[in-house]
Amino acid sequence: MKTTFKIFIVSDSLGETARAVARATISQFPDIETWDIKRFPYVNNEEVLKEVLKQAKESNALVLYSIVSKELGELAREICHQENIEYVDLLSDIIDKLSKKFGMEPLREAGVIRKMDKSYFNRVEAIEFAVKYDDGKDPRGVLKADLVLVGISRTSKTPLSMYLANKHIKVANVPLVPEVPIPKELDSVDPRRIIGLTNSPEKLNVIRTERLKAMGLSGSANYAKLDRILEELDYSEEVMKRLKCPVINVANKAIEETAGIILDILKENDIDILKDYEI
């Protein structure tokens, strides 16, 4: 009959730290075929802790605990000593040593790593959103976006969308082309959440000419001609006036500078998405 090795993972948060340690450790014992790992998350009061450790003793389990609370951590250690329960305290010794070395008090706050993970996933979600609704691919995106950027070609809509996505802001951008009607969804968006982007004709002429050359096309194409650019700028100005949105001239501005202006405008307009973005 095979012996089952039992491990209890105890935490005042999710217990992911202890579970990762358990998995890494178990992998070092390939000859052991049966493991029984039980996770007890959110053990954040004495009564629950005592009950879990009672079960551990009855099951002859090894206890791995990652408890941030100093009081609960000390109680867990005391009970394990008294009841001869094999245990490993994964956090207390490290926290205490770091606290003494750097002369700082720890937060003693459970779930901090998970909050950091949440920040990471929020950023990824915003980046995926920016890609999905880039360049007017799906006009329905403007209704879901925290912010909508509008402007003619080569006014930095896409790089600004990605930059702001890294601040956890979901951005959709819509190209303005005289021959293409603007999405009807834009009329349903709060003007405070729309930013118009423009550029100088001379700058656009240079940028578009270089863009065409990079694509292996003639720099004399209509796309880069000054008359066409002026036509597009006039059209975009009309659209932005109708939308009643703020307008930023991105000529000679770095992406970071323009993004900073956008964030300032949103703050002045009291847009609530700013409570979650990262400076």
Side-chain angles (χ1 to χ4, degrees):
M1 184 176 179
K2 295 179 180 177
T3 301
T4 299
F5 292 83
K6 297 182 179 181
I7 297 177
F8 277 24
I9 292 172
V10 184
S11 174
D12 49 6
S13 184
L14 278 174
E16 293 294 340
T17 301
R19 184 165 67 174
V21 171
R23 285 178 173 175
T25 305
I26 288 171
S27 68
Q28 299 300 313
F29 297 90
D31 293 335
I32 298 177
E33 297 181 7
T34 56
W35 295 91
D36 181 12
I37 301 175
K38 291 185 177 180
R39 182 161 57 111
F40 298 86
Y42 302 115
V43 177
N44 47 29
N45 64 68
E46 292 186 7
E47 183 178 352
V48 174
L49 177 61
K50 289 177 180 178
E51 176 59 32
V52 170
L53 293 180
K54 178 182 177 182
Q55 291 182 38
K57 180 177 175 62
E58 292 172 352
S59 302
N60 192 30
L62 168 66
V63 174
L64 301 183
Y65 66 84
S66 56
I67 298 177
V68 174
S69 165
K70 186 174 182 179
E71 292 76 17
L72 282 180
E74 290 177 347
L75 177 61
R77 182 174 301 202
E78 180 182 334
I79 293 174
C80 288
H81 276 301
Q82 289 176 351
E83 300 296 330
N84 293 318
I85 300 170
E86 292 289 338
Y87 75 95
V88 179
D89 182 349
L90 295 170
L91 293 180
S92 295
D93 289 344
I94 298 173
I95 289 175
D96 289 344
K97 287 183 184 298
L98 288 175
S99 178
K100 290 177 182 177
K101 181 173 180 61
F102 298 112
M104 299 171 62
E105 286 299 315
L107 288 174
R108 295 289 180 184
E109 180 182 344
V112 173
I113 290 179
R114 193 171 71 258
K115 291 178 182 178
M116 292 171 63
D117 288 343
K118 184 174 183 294
S119 174
Y120 168 77
F121 286 116
N122 285 343
R123 182 182 296 110
V124 170
E125 184 180 0
I127 291 172
E128 290 176 344
F129 186 94
V131 172
K132 183 175 181 179
Y133 298 111
D134 180 46
D135 206 31
K137 289 176 184 174
D138 184 347
R140 294 173 298 180
V142 303
L143 300 175
K144 305 174 185 177
D146 297 322
L147 174 69
V148 181
L149 301 178
V150 298
I152 65 174
S153 176
R154 316 321 290 176
T155 50
S156 303
K157 297 186 299 298
T158 296
L160 278 167
S161 296
M162 298 305 296
Y163 185 91
L164 292 168
N166 276 282
K167 305 290 185 185
H168 301 180
I169 298 175
K170 294 179 180 177
V171 185
N173 73 75
V174 178
L176 300 181
V177 183
E179 295 79 13
V180 181
I182 64 171
K184 63 182 186 300
E185 288 84 359
L186 270 176
D187 293 325
S188 302
V189 179
D190 184 342
R192 298 177 304 159
R193 292 179 180 268
I194 304 174
I195 298 289
L197 301 174
T198 189
N199 206 333
S200 71
E202 298 78 15
K203 190 79 172 178
L204 284 168
N205 176 250
V206 172
I207 294 173
R208 290 188 176 191
T209 299
E210 292 302 316
R211 173 65 173 164
L212 288 171
K213 289 179 180 178
M215 295 171 66
L217 302 173
S218 170
S220 61
N222 192 47
Y223 173 73
K225 287 182 178 178
L226 197 56
D227 288 347
R228 172 62 182 181
I229 290 171
L230 290 171
E231 179 188 356
E232 291 185 29
L233 286 172
D234 287 342
Y235 171 73
S236 68
E237 184 178 353
E238 291 175 8
V239 172
M240 293 171 193
K241 282 182 179 178
R242 182 164 73 79
L243 292 173
K244 298 179 181 179
C245 65
V247 180
I248 302 172
N249 191 324
V250 302
N252 302 315
K253 287 185 178 67
I255 295 299
E256 295 83 356
E257 183 181 359
T258 305
I261 295 172
I262 291 172
L263 294 175
D264 287 340
I265 291 173
L266 292 175
K267 185 175 182 181
E268 290 172 7
N269 288 339
D270 195 30
I271 300 299
D272 59 2
I273 59 172
L274 293 182
K275 68 180 183 296
D276 294 323
Y277 89 84
E278 292 184 349
I279 298 174

